[in-house]
Amino acid sequence: EEPEGIRIKQIVKSNYSGVFGPVSFDGTFRAYVDWGKGDLAVHNLVTGEDRILTNEATLDDPGRFVISTAISKNGKQIAYSWWNPNHTFDLCLVDVEDPSPRTIYKQEDEELYPVTWRSDEELIVIRKINKSRSSEICRMSSLDGTLEVLKTIDKGWPQISCSQDQMYIAYDFNDKTSSENWDINLLTIDGGNEIPLIKHPANDRVLGWAPGRREFLFLSDRSGSWDLWAIPVVEGKPSGSEKRIYSDLGEVQPMGFTQNGDCYYGFSRRNFNAYLATFNAEKGQLAEKEGKSLLGSNFWIKWSPDGQSLAYINENNKSQTPWALTIKDLKTGEERKLAENTIYAMSPCWSPDGNSILVTGIIKDTSSTKGFHGGIFTVDVKTGQIDEILDLSNYKYNVPDDDAFPLSDLEWSADGKSIFYLFFKDRLVNHDLESGEEKVLYEHSHFDRHLLSRSPDGKNLLF
């Protein structure tokens, strides 16, 4: 006989985070994206069998693949977003037993993501409008694709759950005073009434309603770790105090509840391991056992010209700067973060005199029609001051079909008076730092990403 209380059991472990996906209400299978090609697949939780449903995806350029999925209440249909080249999305349906996909919604400059089914004929979806980059929580008919907007979200990506009586939607949202903090509201299914459910200075994220219980479950980091909390809710209103029911669950991704009350969730972890080790060039031998690791998740590592420091990107997805430009002094071991007004810093490259670092980057709190604002910047190593060289929002270039960041890599000239940069789907350019004049050195429709290197004498470029 199993003991009472919350019990956790691992179901699947994979090298790919794409295995996450919703679980059917009867608990027999889950839907997910098979990242072998990007097709829609189902995993039988009883037999362990995997089955591909679409067989139309490709991750080659230009790619076409599935993004997000939702399973109907009766488990007979799956709704999914189909990603097309040039950042267009279709919303499709497929029968689980007789997979013949059909498109029910397609609109230029819009993204549509299924979140959950309210009934077997109605979906709750998130529509993202590319021009404004705002998100809308919508009701959608699975029969004719008609949409009804319930709520507009200015920023962030909400987690959403429907109540058991299907009359309320719980969603989390960014507190306007902080991009880090999330609260939770309830929304009536007609969008006419909004009820604050969880308001706290910490982060609170939706997990959902447990079947058979008048409790709403949510995740919160108010105690210093991501814990599982519950609050009683009756007829769309909180009817008691919040209480912690499980400690240190982690920052997990909800996958849904089954009819017997099981809650499925997933989480992903990754770490870039970086090491320093002695290399004997004459013998071609690396002293791996004598190597030292750089603490944390670090990549894009570059030596300073004098060999006394390293520049690299430190990844921390819980930070406001998930990819931070970092300098490490090898003598003292001191680490410093630079360019902290960027969300992502990429492709670091030291200047010949070692006083500056060239990076591509995406600036905080800015966006545009085709992806995020970004550009090329120089960062002063001593002061940390960041100066913009190129703003992509004012620059014409060919957008990659996979919507990736268009700037592939950077290099300084040997005299430090100009820089070279590579557009992934376009051209290799020389940019004079004093005059701003540019010269196209080579054009091609598909360069290999992150491969641009200047020879030590400054006369040649490898790409």
Side-chain angles (χ1 to χ4, degrees):
E1 183 178 353
E2 292 184 331
E4 293 183 356
I6 295 174
R7 298 177 301 278
I8 295 177
K9 179 182 179 182
Q10 180 177 292
I11 303 298
V12 174
K13 183 179 180 180
S14 172
N15 291 331
Y16 297 97
S17 61
V19 299
F20 300 154
V23 174
S24 61
F25 192 57
D26 64 4
T28 60
F29 72 94
R30 63 185 177 91
Y32 68 99
V33 182
D34 184 313
W35 285 114
K37 289 188 176 180
D39 278 301
L40 174 65
V42 292
H43 173 80
N44 190 305
L45 293 168
V46 179
T47 66
E49 176 191 7
D50 290 287
R51 186 160 56 95
I52 304 294
L53 298 186
T54 54
N55 288 304
E56 297 176 354
T58 174
L59 298 180
D60 296 331
D61 186 29
R64 294 175 176 84
F65 46 86
V66 174
I67 290 288
S68 62
T69 60
I71 304 172
S72 62
K73 292 296 180 183
N74 59 15
K76 294 181 178 181
Q77 293 187 96
I78 299 175
Y80 61 93
S81 294
W82 182 255
W83 192 92
N84 294 302
N86 300 316
H87 209 271
T88 60
F89 286 72
D90 303 338
L91 186 70
C92 303
L93 288 181
V94 66
D95 291 336
V96 175
E97 297 304 326
D98 183 20
S100 297
R102 62 185 178 94
T103 301
I104 61 172
Y105 188 90
K106 183 174 185 176
Q107 191 70 37
E108 194 71 24
D109 290 329
E110 292 184 8
E111 306 169 22
L112 212 63
Y113 301 92
V115 179
T116 186
W117 289 69
R118 179 173 176 253
S119 68
D120 291 325
E121 295 182 352
E122 186 175 274
L123 285 148
I124 304 298
V125 301
I126 293 178
R127 178 170 66 170
K128 185 174 285 291
I129 310 298
N130 277 343
K131 291 181 179 179
S132 65
R133 299 307 295 175
S134 60
S135 298
E136 297 172 337
I137 301 173
C138 307
R139 293 170 62 180
M140 174 182 229
S141 168
S142 64
L143 302 177
D144 58 15
T146 55
L147 276 177
E148 177 187 352
V149 179
L150 304 178
K151 177 69 180 179
T152 299
I153 307 293
D154 293 330
K155 61 179 181 178
W157 188 263
Q159 296 280 9
I160 294 174
S161 178
C162 281
S163 62
Q164 295 177 58
D165 60 9
Q166 308 302 318
M167 298 306 296
Y168 300 93
I169 296 172
Y171 73 93
D172 46 31
F173 61 97
N174 277 127
D175 182 352
K176 292 182 179 179
T177 62
S178 172
S179 61
E180 290 282 305
N181 295 338
W182 293 72
D183 291 326
I184 301 174
N185 281 357
L186 295 182
L187 189 68
T188 55
I189 197 61
D190 60 3
N193 192 21
E194 193 164 2
I195 305 161
L197 181 62
I198 306 293
K199 186 172 179 59
H200 192 278
N203 284 300
D204 300 294
R205 303 302 303 265
V206 165
L207 192 65
W209 275 274
R213 301 173 68 92
R214 291 186 173 184
E215 284 184 323
F216 177 79
L217 304 183
F218 64 98
L219 298 166
S220 180
D221 65 355
R222 64 186 65 184
S223 298
S225 61
W226 283 97
D227 305 328
L228 180 62
W229 289 68
I231 183 171
V233 177
V234 178
E235 295 181 353
K237 296 180 180 179
S239 62
S241 60
E242 308 154 15
K243 61 179 180 180
R244 182 169 55 181
I245 61 175
Y246 195 89
S247 298
D248 202 16
L249 183 66
E251 193 173 4
V252 303
Q253 178 180 327
M255 296 169 60
F257 288 85
T258 61
Q259 58 193 8
N260 66 0
D262 286 343
C263 172
Y264 284 77
Y265 66 86
F267 66 90
S268 61
R269 299 285 187 274
R270 78 171 182 182
N271 194 76
F272 292 97
N273 298 308
Y275 305 89
L276 285 175
T278 302
F279 177 69
N280 187 317
E282 293 182 358
K283 298 181 179 180
Q285 293 178 346
L286 182 68
E288 295 180 59
K289 294 182 179 181
E290 300 173 8
K292 296 180 179 180
S293 63
L294 298 180
L295 296 180
S297 182
N298 306 300
F299 58 100
W300 253 323
I301 304 170
K302 301 291 181 69
W303 289 95
S304 61
D306 62 8
Q308 301 302 307
S309 300
L310 295 175
Y312 47 85
I313 305 303
N314 174 259
E315 183 182 56
N316 180 1
N317 289 321
K318 294 183 179 181
S319 168
Q320 292 189 26
T321 307
W323 287 7
L325 175 63
T326 307
I327 304 294
K328 185 180 182 68
D329 187 310
L330 294 177
K331 285 187 177 180
T332 65
E334 178 191 9
E335 282 190 342
R336 291 187 295 128
K337 296 284 193 300
L338 303 178
E340 294 192 79
N341 62 329
T342 59
I343 302 175
Y344 294 99
M346 297 170 280
S347 304
C349 180
W350 289 86
S351 62
D353 60 11
N355 293 328
S356 301
I357 295 177
L358 194 66
V359 294
T360 63
I362 299 174
I363 301 299
K364 292 179 180 178
D365 300 325
T366 57
S367 61
S368 64
T369 301
K370 294 292 184 181
F372 293 104
H373 278 310
I376 300 176
F377 308 89
T378 56
V379 183
D380 188 287
V381 173
K382 291 183 178 180
T383 67
Q385 178 179 335
I386 181 169
D387 294 313
E388 185 179 77
I389 293 176
L390 177 69
D391 181 357
L392 283 181
S393 62
N394 302 319
Y395 202 92
K396 293 183 179 180
Y397 57 90
N398 292 325
V399 179
D401 292 331
D402 60 1
D403 202 40
F405 194 69
L407 283 167
S408 175
D409 219 336
L410 306 169
E411 266 289 359
W412 289 85
S413 63
D415 58 12
K417 295 181 178 181
S418 64
I419 62 171
F420 305 97
Y421 52 85
L422 192 67
F423 279 97
F424 172 60
K425 295 288 292 184
D426 209 336
R427 57 200 184 275
L428 174 62
V429 179
N430 175 250
H431 179 98
D432 189 290
L433 292 174
E434 184 175 345
S435 67
E437 294 182 358
E438 295 190 341
K439 180 181 179 181
V440 177
L441 303 181
Y442 196 79
E443 294 183 82
H444 199 277
S445 61
H446 198 130
F447 292 99
D448 201 357
R449 280 195 176 102
H450 311 306
L451 179 58
L452 179 64
S453 182
R454 174 180 57 79
S455 62
D457 61 11
K459 295 180 180 181
N460 294 280
L461 287 171
L462 176 71
F463 61 89

